[in-house]
Amino acid sequence: MAKRQIEIFTANCPLCDETVRTVQELACSNCEVLVYDLRSSQEQQTYLAKAEHYGVQSVPAIAINGVLVLTGKPTRDQLLAVGVGQPLN
């Protein structure tokens, strides 16, 4: 079964942490949640390159299936609207 890949770009900030928690709460078995801390010293170059590829200019930012869909702290309704926690068709 195909998974919906949800990538969350963070910078270890309170809004980012809240966004990660909300996405994880809404995520279903069709969702694969990946969190990229842009301040991580071990993976920073990889994460920054991925963020640049998506055009991330502020955090938190969320990409779904390779497309940047939200920046800033999203509401639950915004997350549901872009497919977080929704079954794949």
Side-chain angles (χ1 to χ4, degrees):
M1 176 180 264
K3 296 269 188 182
R4 177 178 285 114
Q5 187 177 56
I6 303 168
E7 299 170 285
I8 309 170
F9 295 88
T10 70
N12 196 25
C13 67
L15 292 178
C16 296
D17 295 342
E18 190 176 336
T19 297
V20 170
R21 278 192 302 275
T22 303
V23 169
Q24 289 173 335
E25 287 171 8
L26 291 173
C28 66
S29 60
N30 290 326
C31 298
E32 176 185 14
V33 179
L34 304 168
V35 179
Y36 303 123
D37 181 354
L38 300 179
R39 292 189 179 187
S40 168
S41 59
Q42 292 183 346
E43 301 292 334
Q44 186 177 33
Q45 292 302 325
T46 302
Y47 295 166
L48 288 173
K50 186 173 278 285
E52 183 177 327
H53 171 76
Y54 288 137
V56 172
Q57 295 185 7
S58 63
V59 293
I62 299 173
I64 297 181
N65 293 338
V67 177
L68 184 64
V69 293
L70 295 168
T71 57
K73 184 185 165 298
T75 65
R76 293 176 79 85
D77 288 340
Q78 287 173 316
L79 291 169
L80 292 170
V82 296
V84 176
Q86 303 299 313
L88 293 172
N89 295 329

